[in-house]
């Protein structure tokens, strides 16, 4: 096992991830992950994939891939020669076209221009015909429309008019009630405050205040390892979450919730339906520790 392989394996074990967990998070076959830890690069198809797999492995376990490449550049194969040879082998000598084909290519621009002119003329003709027929039809139907409107005019005092007025007033009142409910829901949502108060390394602390009830929701948009603990350190959720899986928990009575996310780009955290915005960019810090503190004294005031 190489020194680089030891470094990768130690970081994986510190996160409590098995090779199966890492395979689910990186989409790299388990045998290739084992080869990286053992320094056996011969079974990996090409030097380019060796470097790509090392980068994905490192980011999944919270290591800086650029620093690894710099520190172990003597042990990691350089993919430059492979890329140059692949590009040279992919270049094929051009074959001369037959004379008949070259003449056809010379005439192609002219044929395209003629075809384009014909299409434009046809479109203009269709538009003119549509405008003319539409004008004639409108002038012919206008007297009929006026006649039908006068035929079905209803006086202001008729029962039909009064009934319609009642329905209109009822709809108006219903709309006002719905608007009042929406305003109340909006005010309650505005009371919720989610604020990042500190951030260090891969850890961020958020303070939540202003809501009578707190509902935590963790949803996986991609496979990721997730751990959720309450204020006493008891595990509420731990293990791999498959894509589309959701974990929900009422945390109103909890003063603090601790989360560890193995693959942050694939996990969304919500409080009362409002998404928690990662203070640390998930693309740069894929493994993150999230602490949520419930400021009960602010909520009660």
């Amino acid at each position: 096992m190489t020194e680089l392989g030891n470094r990768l394996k130690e970081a994986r074990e510190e996160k409590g991830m098995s090779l199966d967990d890492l395979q689910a998070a990186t989409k790299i076959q388990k045998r290739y992950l084992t080869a990286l830890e053992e320094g056996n690069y011969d079974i990996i198809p090409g030097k380019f994939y060796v470097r790509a797999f090392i980068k994905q492995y490192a980011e999944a376990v919270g290591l800086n891939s650029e620093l690894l490449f710099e520190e172990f550049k003597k042990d990691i194969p350089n993919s430059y020669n492979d890329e140059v040879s692949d590009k040279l082998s992919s270049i094929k000598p051009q074959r001369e076209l037959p004379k008949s084909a070259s003449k056809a290519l010379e005439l192609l621009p002219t044929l395209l221009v003629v075809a384009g002119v014909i299409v434009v003329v046809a479109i203009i003709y269709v538009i003119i015909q549509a405008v003319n027929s539409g004008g004639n039809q409108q002038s012919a139907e206008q007297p009929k429309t006026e006649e039908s409107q006068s035929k079905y005019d209803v006086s202001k005092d008729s029962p039909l008019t009064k009934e319609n007025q009642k329905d209109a007033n009822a709809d108006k009142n219903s709309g006002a009630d719905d608007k009042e409910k929406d305003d109340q829901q909006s005010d309650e949502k505005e009371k919720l405050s989610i604020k990042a108060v500190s951030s260090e390394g891969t850890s961020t602390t958020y303070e939540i205040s202003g809501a009578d009830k707190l509902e935590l929701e963790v949803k996986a948009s991609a496979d990721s390892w997730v751990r959720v603990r309450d204020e006493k350190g008891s595990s509420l959720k731990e293990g791999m979450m498959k894509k589309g899986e959701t974990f929900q928990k009422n945390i109103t009575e909890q003063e603090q919730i601790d989360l560890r996310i193995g693959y942050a780009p694939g996990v969304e955290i919500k409080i009362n339906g409002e998404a928690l915005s990662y203070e640390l960019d998930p693309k740069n810090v894929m493994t993150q520790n999230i602490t949520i503190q419930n400021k009960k004294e602010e909520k009660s005031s």
Side-chain angles (χ1 to χ4, degrees), residues 33-77:
L33 297 174
T34 303
L36 294 179
E37 293 183 351
E38 296 176 351
N40 183 15
Y41 302 143
D42 293 337
I43 70 170
I44 299 176
K47 298 176 181 178
F48 171 80
Y49 288 100
V50 173
R51 296 178 67 88
F53 288 170
I54 292 174
K55 178 178 174 65
Q56 288 180 268
Y57 190 123
E59 291 177 349
V61 297
L63 296 177
N64 188 314
S65 58
E66 297 300 329
L67 294 179
L68 283 180
F69 285 140
E70 182 64 24
E71 183 178 353
F72 300 102
K73 60 183 178 181
K74 294 182 179 180
D75 300 330
I76 301 175

Side-chain angles (χ1 to χ4, degrees), residues 13-186:
E13 291 176 345
E14 286 178 0
K15 290 185 174 296
M17 299 176 68
S18 66
L19 286 173
D20 291 327
D21 294 337
L22 191 60
Q23 176 180 261
T26 61
K27 306 300 186 291
I28 299 174
Q29 294 183 23
K30 184 177 177 181
R31 64 193 184 100
Y32 293 148
L33 297 174
T34 303
L36 294 179
E37 293 183 351
E38 296 176 351
N40 183 15
Y41 302 143
D42 293 337
I43 70 170
I44 299 176
K47 298 176 181 178
F48 171 80
Y49 288 100
V50 173
R51 296 178 67 88
F53 288 170
I54 292 174
K55 178 178 174 65
Q56 288 180 268
Y57 190 123
E59 291 177 349
V61 297
L63 296 177
N64 188 314
S65 58
E66 297 300 329
L67 294 179
L68 283 180
F69 285 140
E70 182 64 24
E71 183 178 353
F72 300 102
K73 60 183 178 181
K74 294 182 179 180
D75 300 330
I76 301 175
N78 190 339
S79 64
Y80 175 77
N81 294 333
D82 282 357
E83 294 175 357
V84 172
S85 61
D86 290 342
K87 290 179 180 178
L88 291 176
S89 63
S90 64
I91 299 176
K92 297 181 180 180
Q94 295 183 351
R95 298 179 180 178
E96 293 186 359
L97 295 173
K99 293 183 178 180
S100 59
S102 62
K103 290 182 179 179
L105 290 176
E106 291 177 358
L107 293 175
L108 183 59
T110 304
L111 295 175
L112 291 176
V113 171
V114 173
V117 171
I118 293 173
V119 171
V120 171
V121 172
I123 292 173
I124 293 173
Y125 176 78
V126 171
I127 292 173
I128 293 173
Q129 293 297 320
V131 171
N132 291 337
S133 61
N136 294 335
Q137 183 177 1
Q138 183 177 0
S139 60
E141 291 181 353
Q142 186 173 0
K144 295 181 180 180
T145 303
E146 292 177 354
E147 180 182 354
S148 61
Q149 287 178 348
S150 61
K151 185 175 181 180
Y152 293 102
D153 280 346
V154 181
S155 65
K156 295 181 179 179
D157 297 331
S158 69
L160 180 59
T161 303
K162 293 179 179 179
E163 188 66 26
N164 290 340
Q165 186 65 30
K166 291 180 181 179
D167 294 341
N169 291 335
D171 292 341
K172 185 177 181 181
N173 293 334
S174 176
D177 293 340
D178 292 341
K179 185 177 185 300
E180 184 177 355
K181 291 179 181 179
D182 293 340
D183 292 341
Q184 291 176 353
Q185 292 176 356
S186 177

